[in-house]
Amino acid sequence: MSTVLTPDTSSEADAAAPAPPPEQPPRPRAARRRAAAAARTVLVRTAALWLLLALWESAPRLGLADRVFLPPFSEVATAWWELLADGQLFDDVRASLGRSLTGFALAVALAVPLGLLIGWYKPVADFLGPVLEVFRNTAALALLPVFVLLLGIGETSKVSLVVYACTWPVLLNTVSAVRTVDPTLLKLARSLDLPSWRLFATVVLPASVPAVFTGIRLAGAVAVLVLVAAEMVGAKAGLGFLINNAQLNFAIPQMYAGILTVSALGMAFNQLLVALERRFTSWRTA
């Protein structure tokens, strides 16, 4: 009795059949919770801002505020877009940023080394102390006529005023940072017989960085605000000129558009400095 062998084609059929698509792994619950938490945080932090904008929009329309002097936010946004479209806002922002960043950078380059010297070397502090006390209590805007008389109404006087105004927050915070270094760290470093310059570079300077950046952030806000006031005198471009010129021509929506632009630039500048501070102080969380 003979048996008939039939070829087994099941394996060939299975090989020829297309493989099923891989199943997508389910999204982890932890990721969903993080996304929900982030969205909730953004909502909480911006709720007051949205409420303020809603009040701004509704108050003039409901007669709670004079629409002539406080137009609705939508009209201000329209005026802002028109200024941006015709290039005027871009030119004014570029002029203001150029002046404020130049003055801010010069102030930081001057105030940080000087503050470190005053804070670390007592003879330098004794020599410069009286002069610094006189000028630190003199407001920058009070000296605006002096800067204009001595330097003219051009770029030099505006940049110099920003340098003067930004110097004091950076200088005073730097001096305070050096003088308030943890005494325990200094005693420990001195017990190792480190030379003075090595002690300063390895202990004092790193410990002073957070407070120095606090002064730099304060100076960043001062740079924008003081410049806007300076640009209202004898300037032909800049956000201060835009605000002042709009007020004189009774273009109230454009005036508010310039004010909002100043606020936005100040916030953006502050966030940039915060990011730099985190970068330079990352060792604190290590």
Side-chain angles (χ1 to χ4, degrees):
M1 183 176 179
S2 62
T3 59
V4 180
L5 299 176
T6 59
D8 186 9
T9 60
S10 60
S11 60
E12 297 178 1
D14 292 339
E23 296 183 359
Q24 296 293 332
R27 187 179 183 182
R29 294 183 179 180
R32 288 197 296 267
R33 285 197 298 268
R34 285 195 297 268
R40 186 163 52 251
T41 301
V42 172
L43 181 61
V44 169
R45 290 184 177 180
T46 59
L49 180 61
W50 290 114
L51 181 61
L52 176 62
L53 294 180
L55 180 63
W56 186 354
E57 179 69 26
S58 58
R61 297 185 183 278
L62 297 176
L64 302 177
D66 192 339
R67 187 165 183 165
V68 175
F69 301 107
L70 184 65
F73 175 74
S74 57
E75 295 183 8
V76 175
T78 302
W80 185 89
W81 180 255
E82 291 174 352
L83 289 172
L84 181 65
D86 65 11
Q88 180 181 353
L89 185 63
F90 177 77
D91 293 337
D92 290 329
V93 169
R94 181 177 59 183
S96 293
L97 279 180
R99 295 163 181 156
S100 60
L101 290 178
T102 301
F104 173 79
L106 291 174
V108 172
L110 170 68
V112 171
L114 184 59
L116 294 174
L117 287 174
I118 294 174
W120 186 243
Y121 295 105
K122 192 175 184 302
V124 179
D126 294 337
F127 178 72
L128 296 178
V131 177
L132 297 180
E133 285 297 326
V134 170
F135 284 101
R136 65 173 287 190
N137 294 302
T138 305
L141 293 181
L143 295 176
L144 177 58
V146 178
F147 280 93
V148 172
L149 287 175
L150 296 178
L151 303 174
I153 60 175
E155 299 297 310
T156 305
S157 62
K158 296 175 178 57
V159 174
S160 299
L161 185 66
V162 173
V163 173
Y164 176 86
C166 293
T167 295
W168 302 110
V170 180
L171 179 64
L172 297 178
N173 277 271
T174 303
V175 173
S176 176
V178 175
R179 291 178 176 175
T180 56
V181 174
D182 189 354
T184 304
L185 293 177
L186 294 177
K187 290 180 181 179
L188 180 61
R190 288 192 176 102
S191 67
L192 300 176
D193 294 330
L194 293 178
S196 180
W197 67 269
R198 185 88 178 272
L199 175 65
F200 179 81
T202 58
V203 177
V204 176
L205 190 58
S208 304
V209 169
V212 172
F213 263 99
T214 300
I216 291 175
R217 288 174 57 189
L218 292 174
V222 170
V224 178
L225 298 179
V226 171
L227 177 66
V228 169
E231 287 177 340
M232 293 182 179
V233 180
K236 296 181 180 180
L239 292 173
F241 168 78
L242 170 64
I243 295 170
N244 191 49
N245 188 58
Q247 187 224 356
L248 293 177
N249 292 300
F250 215 69
I252 304 301
Q254 293 185 2
M255 182 189 74
Y256 282 106
I259 294 172
L260 289 179
T261 305
V262 172
S263 300
L265 286 179
M267 293 175 58
F269 197 21
N270 182 69
Q271 291 302 314
L272 176 61
L273 293 176
V274 169
L276 288 176
E277 180 181 2
R278 290 174 179 171
R279 171 66 179 83
F280 284 101
T281 60
S282 58
W283 55 269
R284 300 179 67 194
T285 58

